Amino acid sequence: MTERMEQLGFKKAEISELDLDPFKMIGEKWMLITAGDEKASNTMTASWGGLGVIWSKPVAAVVIRPQRYTKEFVDSSDRFTLSFYPQDKKDALVYCGSHSGRDLQPNKKAENAGLTAMYHDGTVSYEQAELILVCKKLYETDILPECFEDMTLDKENYPQNDYHRVYIAQIISAYKK
C-alpha cells in the first residue's frame, strides 16, 4: 500500500474478512475494471461478474467484450483492479461506461469522469473508490455460442456475435476506506 493510499484512508483488508454482497456491489452499484500503468491505462464500467472461490483461491470473474478498449490493457497485463464507489460517484461510472478511452489521450477518460488515478501493486485504481480489489489473472476463455444451454441468452445478449472474454483472477489484495 502506498503512502497516498494511507492518506486517503485506505486500509489493507483480508478478503475473507470483508462482508461483501456481489449482487448489490456489481449488479446494482456497478464496478470499474481498470488495467495499465502510469504511462497508459483505461477503465470500463461493468455490471456483470462475480466473486467467489475457485481452485481454493479468492477470485473475481469478469467478462469483457472484444471491442472494449480496456480489454487491450487487461490482455497486456497480468493484473487489473476492480473498484467500487459510493452512490455519489454513479455519474463517473456512467461516464466510464459510455465513453471510450480509445478516443482520448492516455489516462484522460478517468480524469474526465472526475477520478484521480493512483498506482500500486503493479496496476492502477482511483482515489474515489471505497473498495479496491487487486486481481492477478489465472485463466481466460471466450464465451462460445455452442456452449449455451439456454439459447435465448445467446440471442438476447449477443446479436452481433461479440462474445465476451471471461477472466478468472485471484484477488491478491483488498483495500477498503
Side-chain angles (χ1 to χ4, degrees), residues 13-31:
E14 291 298 322
I15 190 69
S16 62
E17 294 176 10
L18 294 174
D19 185 19
L20 304 177
D21 178 352
F23 299 100
K24 185 174 284 179
M25 291 169 53
I26 299 169
E28 292 178 24
K29 291 178 71 178
W30 310 338
M31 64 182 168

Side-chain angles (χ1 to χ4, degrees), residues 150-176:
D150 179 349
M151 293 308 293
T152 62
L153 293 172
D154 185 17
K155 289 181 177 142
E156 290 171 6
N157 294 288
Y158 301 102
Q160 299 173 354
N161 297 320
D162 57 343
Y163 296 95
H164 286 96
R165 182 93 172 151
V166 179
Y167 300 87
I168 297 173
Q170 181 178 356
I171 300 168
I172 58 172
S173 54
Y175 302 99
K176 185 174 172 71

Side-chain angles (χ1 to χ4, degrees), residues 24-89:
K24 185 174 284 179
M25 291 169 53
I26 299 169
E28 292 178 24
K29 291 178 71 178
W30 310 338
M31 64 182 168
L32 291 181
I33 302 171
T34 310
D37 57 26
E38 292 92 339
K39 293 177 190 165
S41 63
N42 201 61
T43 192
M44 63 176 270
T45 302
S47 62
W48 293 6
L51 302 173
V53 177
I54 299 177
W55 305 305
S56 301
K57 298 179 183 304
V59 299
V62 298
V63 294
I64 304 176
R65 289 191 193 269
Q67 65 267 37
R68 295 300 297 258
Y69 187 46
T70 302
K71 183 179 179 303
E72 295 177 25
F73 290 87
V74 171
D75 287 344
S76 67
S77 177
D78 69 336
R79 295 179 184 205
F80 60 88
T81 60
L82 303 181
S83 52
F84 302 88
Y85 296 82
Q87 196 60 36
D88 68 348
K89 295 298 177 198

Side-chain angles (χ1 to χ4, degrees), residues 82-123:
L82 303 181
S83 52
F84 302 88
Y85 296 82
Q87 196 60 36
D88 68 348
K89 295 298 177 198
K90 190 75 164 200
D91 287 347
L93 276 74
V94 169
Y95 180 90
C96 289
S98 60
H99 292 78
S100 175
R102 187 178 279 120
D103 304 326
L104 302 167
Q105 292 179 347
N107 307 331
K108 195 70 172 162
K109 177 179 170 179
E111 185 180 317
N112 287 351
L115 300 174
T116 306
M118 54 185 186
Y119 305 94
H120 56 91
D121 298 283
T123 190

Side-chain angles (χ1 to χ4, degrees), residues 110-134:
E111 185 180 317
N112 287 351
L115 300 174
T116 306
M118 54 185 186
Y119 305 94
H120 56 91
D121 298 283
T123 190
V124 60
S125 65
Y126 302 103
E127 293 181 0
Q128 293 76 14
E130 57 188 8
L131 174 65
I132 300 163
L133 303 177
V134 179

